[in-house]
Amino acid sequence: MRVLPAITCVLAWALSQTALAQPARPDQAAFRALYKELVETNTTLSVGSCTLAAQRMADHLKAAGYTDQDITLFSVPEHPKDGGVVAVLKGTDPKAKPLLLLAHLDVVEAKREDWTRDPFTLIEENGFYYARGASDDKAMAAIFTDSMVRLHAEPRARRTIKLALTCGEETTGAFNGAEWLSKNRRELIDAGFALNEGGGGRLDAEGKPLALAMQVSEKTYQDYILETRNPGGHSSMPRPDNAIYELATALGKVQAFRFPVHLNPVTKAFFEKQAALVPPSLGQAMTAIAANPNDKLAETVLSRDPMLNSTLRTTCVATQIEGGHAQNALPQRATANVNCRIAPGESTEDVRKVLAGVVDDPAVTVTLKVAHGPVGQPAPLDPSVFRPAETLAAEMFPGLQIIPVMSTGASDSIFLSAAGIPSYGVPGILYEADGGGIHGLNEHIRVSSLMKGRDYLYRLVKIYAAAP
């Protein structure tokens, strides 16, 4: 038996417990109170209120010295509980384009009977905060609000800083505050560029920091309806043109189809940098695909991982199905929802045509469901954005690279990019290897990750706001 590793583990545990036991700085205690209030304000679509959460954050800003002229609370009559807030801290140079801080207030639904703890009570346990929204996205919303509070007490920066806390990011088809602002109150959020969720960083299973991420691109979310109809009839007399079978055959073709590899500057840079952080066999495939997107062996290796596969290409998957009208009747109609995450540069109509070609059956129609938003446009890999983040990361997270990433999901950045405001998912908050229960049960975030992320983002905002 080797003794040294055991001693090392015990020492590491002891040091971690000492760190956990250390009292919070006064500014951290104030932040925790703000964070707790926001997390414990229910903002689910079913029974919650983003409008209330926005008002409470506005109250913190007013207590810090912001005036009514600096703060805009907004909502629409059709969605009175889906409101948000915009706050402005004016800079000294009216010619400098503002910096926008964006975060969403709404959270995914959470049922108390499913959770180990009350999802709407912030609980600190074994070095973690547990609650719905503890991570997504109230961690960032609280950090940005807290940063605006702290910045108000300091000499004004060169660049105006804006904060927008919005609702509707988590629910497809709901009122979306970021979209509404970009279309109706663009002047409130107009900026040279924006900081949003989607970046952060990753810990391994033991909590060791692995890498930081800057999101500069995301896929376009789009649903399609596959449908087949026929006259139906009595179930005692089956016929070959059965609507359910025809739909099942079509879905089988969609399942077997794989869109071609479609890299862009962001995903190419991701594979190039990520290659050094993964096992050699995987790293070699990443290097190869970045050099040659047509490398079939590398494609095969990378496609085995769901996340990497989605980074390589557009993906489409069946998510809902409905068919038939009675147990003793042949189906007259069968439909399926196919959800696609479309790579930047591809249009929703082009993807519909591809799906129709894959199905290749005149009995099955493929239609575009109501578009959920604009087509994603990558933000530029701008050195003036990346270099300050990298320099600060070298100080606060020594040894970690910032890797540019394309989100395979979706965020409100897509509405900003469509409005001409480049949006970056900033690094700083390190998330668990398994995602920390985001959108699932017992969502959690490390206290140390939250607090260090808070320090990093506050300092990064100050650097950007002061930059020429």
Side-chain angles (χ1 to χ4, degrees), residues 45 51 75-83 174-175 180:
L45 181 66
T51 302
S75 64
V76 297
E78 300 82 4
H79 302 277
K81 292 186 177 182
D82 297 341
F175 171 78
W180 185 87

Side-chain angles (χ1 to χ4, degrees), residues 119-389:
F120 297 103
T121 299
L122 184 68
I123 295 173
E124 184 175 354
E125 190 175 294
N126 297 324
F128 288 87
Y129 285 131
Y130 289 85
R132 172 58 85 220
S135 178
D136 184 18
D137 183 36
K138 290 182 176 178
M140 183 160 282
I143 287 172
F144 281 163
T145 304
D146 169 74
S147 295
M148 293 290 281
V149 168
R150 297 165 73 185
L151 289 166
H152 193 277
E154 299 182 0
R156 294 291 183 267
R158 175 174 176 268
R159 192 186 304 270
T160 292
I161 306 171
K162 298 180 177 182
L163 169 69
L165 303 178
T166 61
C167 198
E169 197 271 351
E170 297 289 13
T171 307
T172 303
F175 171 78
N176 184 288
E179 180 181 24
W180 185 87
L181 286 169
S182 67
K183 292 180 178 179
N184 297 277
R185 296 297 306 273
R186 167 61 189 269
E187 78 284 357
L188 281 179
I189 60 169
D190 190 41
F193 65 98
L195 310 183
N196 190 20
E197 63 171 341
R202 184 66 64 183
L203 302 164
D204 67 12
E206 285 72 45
K208 177 184 176 182
L210 292 179
L212 296 166
M214 178 85 82
Q215 180 193 324
V216 290
S217 179
E218 66 181 63
K219 287 182 156 183
T220 299
Y221 178 111
Q222 185 59 55
D223 290 309
Y224 298 85
I225 299 299
L226 273 60
E227 182 177 50
T228 182
R229 295 172 178 262
N230 65 48
H234 202 285
S235 62
S236 66
M237 295 180 288
R239 48 190 288 170
D241 58 342
N242 183 293
I244 290 177
Y245 292 155
E246 290 171 338
L247 179 64
T249 300
L251 291 177
K253 293 178 180 178
V254 173
Q255 179 187 20
F257 177 72
R258 183 176 285 170
F259 281 80
V261 172
H262 186 169
L263 298 188
N264 56 56
V266 176
T267 51
K268 183 175 183 293
F270 165 79
F271 283 120
E272 289 172 342
K273 290 197 172 187
Q274 187 73 8
L277 305 176
V278 297
S281 59
L282 194 59
Q284 291 168 8
M286 289 181 173
T287 300
I289 204 76
N292 177 18
N294 296 315
D295 189 316
K296 295 302 179 183
L297 178 58
E299 177 189 349
T300 299
V301 172
L302 296 173
S303 296
R304 293 173 187 152
D305 181 284
M307 189 278 288
L308 297 177
N309 177 64
S310 189
T311 303
L312 286 172
R313 54 171 54 87
T314 291
T315 59
C316 293
V317 61
T319 55
Q320 291 180 314
I321 191 168
E322 181 181 353
H325 59 285
Q327 293 181 351
N328 59 350
L330 298 176
Q332 298 168 1
R333 178 175 174 267
T335 64
N337 187 88
V338 172
N339 176 249
C340 297
R341 305 300 176 114
I342 302 171
E346 298 177 18
S347 74
T348 56
E349 175 59 19
D350 286 343
V351 171
R352 189 202 66 78
K353 290 178 180 178
V354 170
L355 289 174
V358 169
V359 170
D360 192 25
D361 184 348
V364 181
T365 61
V366 181
T367 58
L368 183 76
K369 204 170 181 180
V370 176
H372 296 298
V375 174
Q377 299 295 331
L381 296 171
D382 189 343
S384 68
V385 176
F386 270 82
R387 284 176 185 163

